Every structure is written in C-alpha cells, then in structure tokens.
Amino acid sequence: MNELIKMGLAAGVMAACFVTASVPADAFERRDGEKILVSAQRQAVPTMDPSVKYDASIRTMQQAMYDGLLKYVDTPPRIVPWLAESFDVSADGLTYTFHLVKNAKFHNGDPVDAEAVRWSFERTLTLGKGPAWMLNTFLKAENIKVVDPSTVSFTLDRPFAPFTSFVPWWYIMNPKQVMANEVDGDLGQKWLVENEAGSGPFKLARVEQGTLYELSRVDDYWRGHQGKLGGIIYKLIRESSAQRAALMRGEADLVTGLSPDEFDQVAKAKGIVTSTQPALTAFGIKFNTQGKLTSDLNLRKAVAYAFDYEGLVKIYNGRAVLQTSPFTDAILGKIDVPGMPRKDMAKAKEYLAKSQHPNGGIELEYVYVQGLEEERLMGLILIDSLKDLNITVKMVPLTWANMVARGSKVETSPDMIAIFATPVSIDPDAVAIQYHPSSQGAYYGVHYLDDPELTKMIEDARFTTEWEKREPIYAAIQKRIVDLQPEIFGMMRERRIAYRDWVKGYAYSPVRMTEEVDFYPLYIE
Amino acid sequence: MLRFTLRRAVLMVFMLLGLLLITFTISHIAPSDPAALAAGPDANVAMIERYRVEYGLDRPLYEQFAIYLQRLLTGNWGKSIHTTRQVWDDLVSYFPNTVELVAFSILIAVALGVPLGVIAAVNQNRATDHIIRILTVSGVAMPMFWLGLMAQLYFALHLGWFPLGGRIEMMTDPPEAITHLLLVDSLLRGQFGTFAEGLHHIVLPSVALCLPALASIIRVNRAEMLETLKQDYIVNARAHGLSTFRIVALYALKNAMLPTMAMIGLRFGWMLGGTVLVETVFDWPGIGLYAVQAAISSDFEPIMGATIVLGFFFMMTNFVIDLIYGILDPRVRTQV
C-alpha cells in the first residue's frame, strides 16, 4: 500500500510539472529575438517544386520563396509587374517581350537574368507537370529567347489573349543551383521537393514533413520588406476546432481552415481580426447533359427553378453570395445574366410538363464528396426542393478520387454532381473553357456539354487579342451557358479569414485558392 | 521452442505476401485514376499519360505487382505519385511516432486496466464494480474522435495543462535520429528538456486513444478474474488463511492474465492501424494519417508500404504474445 501511495505522489508531482510547464502562450513566437509568424493550415506541402505541382498549400510556400515575372494582387485582382518591370506585345499579338528588373538576386546571390527566366519556363514545359497545361498548347520552349541579360521574349504559336494571366503562376528558379543538384537527368526534381532555388522574400529554413515548414526572411530581398518579420512557420493543424483553439491561445497568428461555426465563435473573441472576402470559387451542381434523364433541357430547367437557392446561403450562415452569371464576380467581363433561375415552382412545373417526364416519378442521383458536411446539406436541400415535382434524389457520397473517376466518362458521370471550381486566373477564358468540349471529363467538365454555337464563341474569344472585341463575346457566352443550364448555378462562398490583431499587412486577393496565403506583405507589430 | 519460432517466422512471410496481394488487388479495384489525380485537376491528357508511364501504371496489373515485389526485395520501396517523396523516408519519419503513441496508450491501458479489472472482480456487484462498469461501457461506446476533441478543448484550451497538439514545441529541434523514436532519442542524446516536452505532448492523444483498449482490458480481466477466483486452488488458498491481497495478486492474477495478454496484443496491433482519428485531432505526425491520405488519393506505393509495415508489426505483436503465453503457461510450451 505504501508503494501505491508513493506512486500516487510521484504521479501528482509529474502532473504538477506539466501544469507549470504549460503556461498558455499569449504572444507570437520568437527566434533569435526576431518575430516569427505562425500560420496554421490544414494541408501538407508535399513538394515545393514550382514545375511539378501547385495547390493552395504548395503555392502558399512557392510564392514566399519564388518570384514570377508578374504577380496578382488586390481585390478585384490585378496583375502587377514583378521580376519584369514591364512588357510589350507585338502588333500581331504573338510576341511578348519582358524587361527584367536589374536588382533581383537569387538567395545564393546569383542575379536573376533572362537566361534564368528562359530556363525556368523551359523546365516546366519539358517536365510537363504542374502548371505546364496553362501554356504548353501554344508555347514551345525553343520560342523563348534571351534577347539580352535583362530581356526575354516569348513567341506564341498563335495569338492567345489569356497568356499574361497565367504568367504569375510560373516561378523563376536558379538554373545553376538546380542543375548542380540534378540526379539521373531529373532536372533537379528530387532536390526541389524539399529545397528551393528562388529569389523570393523568404527562404526555406526547416522542413518537418507532416508537422511544419519554416521560412526565414531574406534580408536583402530585392523588393525589400515592409515590417521586420524574422520568418514564418507554416504549421499543420488539420481540425477546424484545433485551429480555433490555437488561434485563441495565440499559438497560431493566422488560421485558414475554420468551419462557418468556428469562425462565428472566434469573430466574437477579443484580439482577433476576422473578415469575409469574396472568392473566385463557384459552387454548382452539374448535370450530365448527355445522361439518360438529364440530357432533357426541360428537366434541367425544371430542377433549376425548383431549387431552394436561399437554403444554399443559409448553409454558410449567410456568408455566401448567389451567382448571377456562370462567371464569378472577379472575372473580367462578368455580367449579370438576365433571367438567372431562382426558385419559382410555377416555372419549374411548366418546364417539367414540357419534359419527357411531365409527371416526375423519376429518381436523380446526386454525387458529392464524402465527409463534406456542406455538400451533404446541399443534397438535403435538393431532396426537399424536388419533392413537389415528384422527383426523388438519391444521395451518393464518394471519395474525391472516386467521384472524379466516375465523372471522367460520359457513361458513368452521374445525373448531378456537387462541384466547387476555382479558375486559375481572372481572364474570362479560365471559366469559359470549362464549358468547351475539351474540358469534358475533367472535374469541372462533368456536364459533358457540347454546343457548337458556344464552342465557336469560346474559341473566337480566346484567340482574339483586343479586349474591346472579346468583351461582347463573353457577354454572349454567359447568356448562352445559362440558356443551356448545364448546372444549377449556385453560389460564391466567402472566404473566412481570421488572425491575431498583432498581424499586419494581410493582403487578400480572390484569385488565390481557398487556403492560399500570400506571406510577403505580412508582418507583426 | 526453436522449431515453433521458425515455423511461425516462415508462415509470417507467406502471410505478408498474401496481405500484399490482397491490398494490391483492393487498391486497384477502386475506380479512381492515380495518374489523373497526381497530374492535377487541370492537366491535359498528355500530362496524365506522362505520369502513367513514369510510374509504370500503363503496364498490366500482374506486371506492376511483379515489378513492385522485385524492387521491394532490393530495398526500394518506391515513391509516392502524389507527393513524389520516397516511401521509405516517409515510413521512417511517420511510423515511429505512431509506435510511441500506441505504446504509451497501451502502457496507460494496462497500468489502469489490470488493477481496475481486479478491483471490479473482487468487489463483484458492489458499487465499485458498477462504477467501473459505467466507465468501461462508455469507454467502448464513446467515439475516440469526439473524446479527443473534448479533451483538447478542456485540458488544452480551457485549463492550459497540455499542448493542443503536435509532437514537440514548434521551436524545438528534434534530436538527431538514432532509433527515430523521439522519446528514446532525446534521452539517448541527453536532451532531457525535449524528452519532457515529448512526454507532455503525448499525454492527451494517448489517453484519448487508450480508452477503448482500457475498457476491453478491464472487462476481460474482470471476467477472467471472476472465473479464476472460483477455482479450487483459490478456495484452498483461502482455507489456508492466506491474505486476500496475496491470493489475488500472486495466484489468481497470473492465471487470469493469460486472456488479458492476448487482448493486449490484439489491441496493440489494431491501434497501430487505427490511430488516424486521434492523429487528425492532435496533429500527430503518424502513419495513420499517412496511410489514409495515400488510400484516398489511390497512391499505390505508399499504401503498399504502410500495409507491409503495419501488417508486419501486427504479426510480430501476435508472435511475441504467443511467446509470452508460453512463458506464463507452461502447458503451451509442452504442447508445442
């Protein structure tokens, strides 16, 4: 028994040690006296190679360590000169000549010159991964030419108006550094997974896969720094409630993955800045326009008019805006399309009467991502909305991988499928192309829309260079897409941003992905 | 004993092969296309094809399996199509964290479960027994995920006794790897501060993880104890006037522990593969999350790698339990 008491005492002492050891953090981290900002994010960064992959988490890290020729900033998004101080376009719209800034340096001190730019574009095109798709159908590596050490020209195979809207996502790497680490002709792919060769505001300091990634400030960054931030830690916190807790305790200075409810809770807390911002992401329920039932335009219209759009907004506690066009708000040339369907049961019944199933009595399949609560709720709204049309809805949750696989073939693509799509740029082509037959099978092309009139307009607009000529075509494209009703046009969910009030400089731009953060302007006061 | 050990070892090789074959088949029955997923949502057909060729996914299935086995025998565990990282490097960095978490959980479960089981049995149908029963039923019934979240909110956020998650503090550099087990390595390197930090971080996740195992151990141990306490030799011992403590702790417990040991072994194996929820809540960099993410993205080589490691350790635990059985119960030894 004495032993037991001794053990109990020892346990008590240990517990006391823990208690004293864990004074809740209430201020930012420091390393060597410098302030470190901690950004809590949900997704790991498996590779940092700018030629190989991009997504919200990867690009967050890439744009902190690398620079592009141009950069996206602000709301509404605009493209500003970055490594290129200016560029000219030839009269035929084929050749783009970029003039580089003279003072940019890579982290090892090498100058950022025209050859580095040419080599970086060539590397991405040669590897054919990641962002390669944006340019590889109309730009050949041999047509990128070094004019002089600070001038580089790109000659396209044909005029392509959206060209500059893609350039900000192509980062410039130091060829000497990368090639010094090449293994078996891999163009440095193995090395760049956890190393960098950039010229950006931060350099990679530490990688602990599955836990955190640490960046440190580049003191002599060629554009300078706003505040004196020693560095940034990208910390993985996967659960929304754990992110909230970390923010409240000050263990994280900025969080990106709060659920709508968690967000409402932190919004009330002292010392935390929250805001919601419009996003480029659109949510829609796509029909398979070549499916057995949903190939019937009248049926699609009936469903679109029966759908409870207000319910969609309620899922996000009001922090969502209904789409008034297939194009989201920040897209250039977006118009409010007249006659955008809203809930109207009389119209819904009218369309249903004209369809092949005037009395309903059919079942439609609704596929959504397993575990995504918001998409499940949307399914319930769908069930409720279509009850009056005597149409039942079968909800089928699938993993993202299996959902994409089903959507990749017209025969297996479901009647209805819940899709969030974020265009990579603000050029209207980035959305319009989703309704071109070449997109069929991609996750945003599960509608299998094939309308010759629409296709021709999309092609005309993307290969026209003058904006004055493109703009009216895009207006017509938006109207045509709404007429064809390839989906229930849903909403633009607002992005939820939350950080501690000592964080300054946060700059939002809707063109970034949902959890993507531009670290460059951030500092701690 | 040696023959027994050898036979089991040979059997294990075949079992592992079978496991590999089954996992391979299942991961290929799923309709998803790993090359398309890896190439990204916007990739065109040529880019997807490039991935398919680079990772050998364009070959027939049996060939893919043969190539995989061949490479595995030369020590090449392949690389992830999704992250492009080497599977072996990932396994080495994630698996030891899970082993530590599970070992710590089992330690708690045994340290609490065995005495509580005994106490419940000795006090059968009295208040103590009922209270322990409530604990065990809730332990089995409560979802680990929810429990973890609640523990995190209360003990970490509200009381601030424990860290919210992670393996060690953000600013601490982990000790240079020897065994890859952080607690062990920090001791070996003499970094006692890191050791204390590691211990501090492991408490909440392992408590959340241990509850189902704790409940099972209590229940099995209680049932076995009750059975044993009715045996003639116990009655005999009582008749000789031995103290209850001596009877229970020395004579009865040793025999009642046999099925409990088997349960502990099984639980250890299950827990190795079932940590994903706790790892998600506490951002524990373990193999559960790794394996689940690989499965979701149909990332075949990490799935196989994780299967081999988890399968091997599951089999090893059972093997060790068999040996311990032999030590605890001489009859098992002679039967073999």
Side-chain angles (χ1 to χ4, degrees):
Chain A
M1 209 58 197
N2 278 340
E3 286 301 304
L4 266 178
I5 294 168
K6 272 187 211 159
M7 274 168 67
L9 275 175
V13 170
M14 271 180 80
C17 290
F18 283 146
V19 177
T20 48
S22 63
V23 178
D26 55 5
F28 38 83
E29 299 283 348
R30 282 175 187 272
R31 190 189 279 291
D32 306 325
E34 296 221 66
K35 295 165 188 167
I36 306 284
L37 185 136
V38 180
S39 174
Q41 308 200 219
R42 294 206 291 197
Q43 238 185 332
V45 186
T47 174
M48 314 207 181
D49 189 335
S51 300
V52 169
K53 249 185 198 317
Y54 66 89
D55 62 23
S57 56
I58 294 172
R59 221 162 59 187
T60 296
M61 291 295 284
Q62 285 170 349
Q63 66 195 320
M65 302 182 295
Y66 294 92
D67 290 314
L69 290 175
L70 307 170
K71 183 170 176 164
Y72 276 109
V73 293
D74 290 350
T75 314
R78 56 192 183 93
I79 296 171
V80 296
W82 209 254
L83 280 175
E85 56 189 8
S86 64
F87 65 91
D88 336 301
V89 191
S90 64
D92 58 4
L94 283 176
T95 304
Y96 289 74
T97 307
F98 291 87
H99 307 282
L100 307 182
V101 294
K102 305 280 190 309
N103 61 337
K105 275 188 299 181
F106 286 112
H107 297 156
N108 70 346
D110 291 347
V112 181
D113 57 12
E115 172 54 20
V117 175
R118 188 202 64 77
W119 184 85
S120 298
F121 275 77
E122 183 188 57
R123 179 176 188 266
T124 306
L125 287 170
T126 309
L127 291 178
K129 295 175 178 174
W133 66 271
M134 299 178 194
L135 305 181
N136 70 3
T137 47
F138 53 88
L139 175 66
K140 291 190 180 64
E142 61 265 28
N143 294 331
I144 309 171
K145 297 266 192 285
V146 172
V147 181
D148 64 50
S150 60
T151 314
V152 58
S153 72
F154 296 75
T155 306
L156 311 183
D157 297 348
R158 57 190 299 188
F160 184 69
F163 175 67
T164 48
S165 73
F166 289 134
V167 169
W169 304 132
W170 288 56
Y171 296 111
I172 308 307
M173 298 155 260
N174 185 346
K176 283 185 208 131
Q177 225 180 332
V178 176
M179 291 312 281
N181 291 289
E182 189 183 36
V183 188
D184 304 331
D186 73 342
L187 290 173
Q189 282 185 87
K190 199 171 177 183
W191 186 73
L192 278 179
V193 168
E194 283 187 7
N195 293 284
E196 50 95 6
S199 60
F202 295 95
K203 56 186 178 211
L204 195 57
R206 187 159 66 121
V207 174
E208 305 235 351
Q209 260 319 330
T211 307
L212 60 85
Y213 314 89
E214 186 172 346
L215 296 162
S216 64
R217 183 188 62 214
V218 174
D219 281 326
D220 54 349
Y221 180 50
W222 61 277
R223 285 186 74 102
H225 285 273
Q226 241 186 73
K228 278 225 178 284
L229 195 61
I232 289 177
I233 291 182
Y234 180 117
K235 186 171 167 33
L236 279 170
I237 301 187
R238 296 173 180 85
E239 259 305 299
S240 168
S241 81
Q243 282 206 354
R244 179 177 75 95
L247 184 71
M248 304 291 272
R249 267 181 68 158
E251 287 184 12
D253 302 307
L254 189 151
V255 299
T256 60
L258 295 179
S259 71
D261 291 338
E262 307 276 4
F263 182 80
D264 285 345
Q265 286 172 28
V266 299
K268 290 178 206 138
K270 240 177 79 182
I272 290 169
V273 179
T274 56
S275 70
T276 52
Q277 302 283 347
L280 214 54
T281 310
F283 171 80
I285 298 175
K286 311 238 179 206
F287 296 114
N288 178 355
T289 60
Q290 296 188 30
K292 209 173 123 221
L293 298 166
T294 42
S295 54
D296 183 345
L297 176 62
N298 287 313
L299 177 68
R300 300 203 297 267
K301 289 270 178 205
V303 173
Y305 277 105
F307 189 71
D308 174 14
Y309 293 87
E310 291 310 316
L312 262 189
V313 178
K314 273 187 208 140
I315 291 176
Y316 291 93
N317 294 355
R319 295 209 172 87
V321 182
L322 291 180
Q323 274 181 267
T324 55
S325 155
F327 293 6
T328 44
D329 286 350
I331 299 288
L332 295 176
K334 184 247 168 191
I335 58 162
D336 288 344
V337 177
M340 193 75 174
R342 291 286 177 262
K343 190 173 177 79
D344 182 343
M345 283 317 284
K347 261 195 174 157
K349 284 178 179 158
E350 209 175 286
Y351 276 112
L352 189 69
K354 284 191 273 182
S355 76
Q356 285 159 10
H357 300 89
N359 302 314
I362 48 170
E363 182 180 73
L364 296 176
E365 197 182 9
Y366 166 74
V367 170
Y368 65 101
V369 179
Q370 205 165 36
L372 257 189
E373 179 60 11
E374 287 103 351
E375 290 191 356
R376 192 184 69 85
L377 293 175
M378 290 163 193
L380 297 180
I381 294 178
L382 209 47
I383 290 178
D384 203 42
S385 302
L386 301 189
K387 218 164 40 191
D388 286 349
L389 297 181
N390 191 25
I391 295 174
T392 52
V393 176
K394 183 178 162 199
M395 290 184 38
V396 182
L398 291 179
T399 61
W400 171 252
N402 289 343
M403 186 167 115
V404 174
R406 268 202 68 181
S408 67
K409 292 190 194 76
V410 67
E411 316 85 60
T412 53
S413 194
D415 300 321
M416 295 185 286
I417 184 162
I419 296 286
F420 282 99
T422 308
V424 288
S425 81
I426 51 166
D427 191 281
D429 181 66
V431 188
I433 197 71
Q434 297 179 6
Y435 300 95
H436 186 273
S438 65
S439 292
Q440 290 182 4
Y443 78 100
Y444 45 72
V446 292
H447 47 61
Y448 289 91
L449 192 63
D450 191 357
D451 179 60
E453 187 190 329
L454 179 66
T455 305
K456 187 176 176 307
M457 285 195 285
I458 295 171
E459 286 170 4
D460 285 349
R462 76 186 322 213
F463 299 124
T464 304
T465 43
E466 297 92 347
W467 177 245
E468 298 70 38
K469 286 188 192 152
R470 293 179 79 204
E471 198 173 8
I473 311 180
Y474 282 115
I477 286 174
Q478 292 168 70
K479 287 179 194 152
R480 182 72 191 152
I481 296 172
V482 172
D483 284 345
L484 293 168
Q485 201 80 57
E487 65 192 76
I488 302 175
F489 300 103
M491 50 87 205
M492 295 162 280
R493 152 184 77 170
E494 289 178 349
R495 300 242 171 97
R496 299 178 288 269
I497 294 144
Y499 49 85
R500 301 295 309 208
D501 55 5
W502 54 67
V503 175
K504 303 289 170 200
Y506 185 88
Y508 177 79
S509 182
V511 74
R512 297 189 208 292
M513 290 185 243
T514 302
E515 293 188 29
E516 181 183 342
V517 182
D518 181 10
F519 285 148
Y520 174 52
L522 293 175
Y523 63 99
I524 288 176
E525 203 173 62
Chain B
M1 200 69 188
L2 187 72
R3 263 185 62 194
F4 168 77
T5 316
L6 275 177
R7 226 186 70 193
R8 287 297 304 266
V10 174
L11 265 176
M12 252 173 70
V13 174
F14 281 103
M15 269 154 74
L16 261 180
L17 259 177
L19 179 70
L20 277 184
L21 192 64
I22 292 169
T23 317
F24 182 86
T25 316
I26 291 174
S27 58
H28 280 81
I29 286 173
S32 62
D33 179 353
L37 286 169
D42 301 301
N44 45 39
V45 180
M47 290 169 70
I48 297 173
E49 205 46 46
R50 190 183 284 259
Y51 267 95
R52 228 187 288 286
V53 174
E54 189 179 330
Y55 286 81
L57 297 167
D58 53 336
R59 296 163 191 264
L61 275 190
Y62 64 89
E63 221 179 293
Q64 286 184 41
F65 189 58
I67 292 172
Y68 180 76
L69 281 186
Q70 208 177 9
R71 274 203 287 114
L72 195 64
L73 288 175
T74 62
N76 181 349
W77 290 61
K79 67 175 181 173
S80 154
I81 187 171
H82 196 60
T83 69
T84 73
R85 286 170 50 81
Q86 296 292 319
V87 172
W88 178 250
D89 295 345
D90 281 340
L91 291 176
V92 167
S93 70
Y94 295 134
F95 187 61
N97 289 328
T98 300
V99 171
E100 279 190 315
L101 179 64
V102 171
F104 207 79
S105 294
I106 281 288
L107 218 65
I108 299 176
V110 173
L112 290 176
V114 172
L116 283 177
V118 173
I119 293 170
V122 174
N123 298 292
Q124 196 192 359
N125 292 334
R126 279 187 233 148
T128 326
D129 188 23
H130 295 314
I131 293 168
I132 293 173
R133 185 176 297 124
I134 291 171
L135 180 80
T136 55
V137 171
S138 11
V140 173
M142 261 194 285
M144 221 189 285
F145 187 71
W146 180 83
L147 196 82
L149 278 176
M150 289 303 121
Q152 188 180 49
L153 283 182
Y154 190 70
F155 293 105
L157 179 65
H158 185 67
L159 296 177
W161 287 3
F162 295 100
L164 289 168
R167 188 67 194 87
I168 41 173
E169 291 298 324
M170 262 182 292
M171 292 301 180
T172 310
D173 286 320
E176 207 184 317
I178 301 172
T179 62
H180 291 275
L181 298 165
L182 186 120
L183 291 176
V184 178
D185 285 354
S186 53
L187 278 184
L188 291 177
R189 298 266 179 213
Q191 299 178 4
F192 300 109
T194 315
F195 176 77
E197 233 175 59
L199 217 53
H200 194 191
H201 279 74
I202 208 169
V203 175
L204 275 191
S206 51
V207 167
L209 185 66
C210 88
L211 270 190
L214 172 66
S216 317
I217 290 174
I218 294 177
R219 291 202 310 184
V220 171
N221 207 37
R222 176 182 175 275
E224 285 307 314
M225 212 50 204
L226 284 177
E227 196 61 34
T228 316
L229 287 174
K230 285 180 198 140
Q231 299 289 319
D232 289 346
Y233 69 90
I234 298 289
V235 178
N236 189 31
R238 280 193 210 282
H240 275 82
L242 293 181
S243 73
T244 310
F245 182 78
R246 203 178 158 83
I247 293 171
V248 171
L250 237 76
Y251 299 107
L253 185 60
K254 191 176 165 192
N255 288 320
M257 272 305 278
L258 279 177
T260 315
M261 281 307 297
M263 162 65 74
I264 293 168
L266 273 179
R267 276 284 168 185
F268 188 80
W270 284 343
M271 275 157 84
L272 276 180
T275 49
V276 60
L277 294 179
V278 169
E279 285 177 12
T280 309
V281 174
F282 293 99
D283 293 293
W284 194 263
I287 200 168
L289 261 175
Y290 177 72
V292 167
Q293 262 155 14
I296 286 174
S297 46
S298 298
D299 200 348
F300 147 72
E301 288 186 347
I303 295 177
M304 299 297 276
T307 307
I308 298 171
V309 170
L310 289 173
F312 177 75
F313 275 84
F314 191 82
M315 289 170 195
M316 275 309 281
T317 339
N318 282 330
F319 180 60
V320 171
I321 291 294
D322 280 354
L323 294 184
I324 296 177
Y325 237 81
I327 296 164
L328 282 178
D329 186 351
R331 284 173 303 179
V332 177
R333 250 177 296 173
T334 45
Q335 274 163 18
V336 174

